[in-house]
Amino acid sequence: MTIPRKKPSTFVPASYQRSDEWAISKVKEYLTCKGYMIIEKKTEDYELDIEAEKGGKKVFFEVETKTGYSFTCEDDFRFDTVSFLARKKKWANIGFWYIIVCRETLAFVMCSS
């Protein structure tokens, strides 16, 4: 099933902060359980959301929240594709994991950039 693309919404700082912080905290909990050391940011820089280290290697993560499209795994994730924001292209050479967290189920899907 292909979902029609919609026009990007206007940036709403309060909504971003509420959703972004929640999703990032859930992913940080998961990564910590998997043995990653989270490298905390001093301030919000609107760059990649999480920098972590495991086995001497730095790994980067971009985290988004999906609300209203409940999923529990890749099999019931209703979108055939995901779009990376154009401003994230500058990290193409280092690579990062793109993670979408479901607000309703706490499940997430992830793919390597």
Side-chain angles (χ1 to χ4, degrees), residues 45-48 60 62 84-96 113:
D45 55 11
Y46 300 100
E47 301 290 333
L48 290 172
F60 301 91
E62 177 65 13
F84 294 87
L85 297 173
R87 65 185 173 83
K88 303 298 180 184
K89 186 170 176 64
K90 60 186 165 187
W91 292 291
N93 292 337
I94 64 165
F96 61 93
S113 68

Side-chain angles (χ1 to χ4, degrees), residues 51-78:
E51 180 179 346
E53 188 174 314
K54 184 174 181 179
K57 182 179 176 188
K58 284 189 179 180
V59 185
F60 301 91
F61 301 87
E62 177 65 13
V63 181
E64 305 291 342
T65 304
K66 186 62 78 180
T67 303
Y69 300 98
S70 184
F71 63 89
T72 59
C73 65
E74 179 183 0
D75 295 333
D76 63 1
F77 185 71
R78 67 183 277 187

Side-chain angles (χ1 to χ4, degrees), residues 3 10-11 29 67-69 71 83 90 94 98 104 113:
I3 305 297
T10 304
F11 181 72
E29 288 175 24
T67 303
Y69 300 98
F71 63 89
S83 298
K90 60 186 165 187
I94 64 165
Y98 186 64
E104 292 84 4
S113 68

Side-chain angles (χ1 to χ4, degrees), residues 3-46:
I3 305 297
R5 290 183 180 212
K6 64 179 185 176
K7 188 176 181 180
S9 57
T10 304
F11 181 72
V12 180
S15 176
Y16 166 81
Q17 190 168 12
R18 182 177 56 252
S19 294
D20 201 56
E21 287 179 8
W22 174 84
I24 290 170
S25 71
K26 297 302 177 193
V27 172
K28 282 181 176 179
E29 288 175 24
Y30 171 79
L31 293 173
T32 300
C33 288
K34 292 295 187 180
Y36 286 87
M37 182 186 76
I38 305 300
I39 301 167
E40 296 294 343
K41 293 181 177 188
K42 294 182 188 339
T43 60
E44 173 60 79
D45 55 11
Y46 300 100

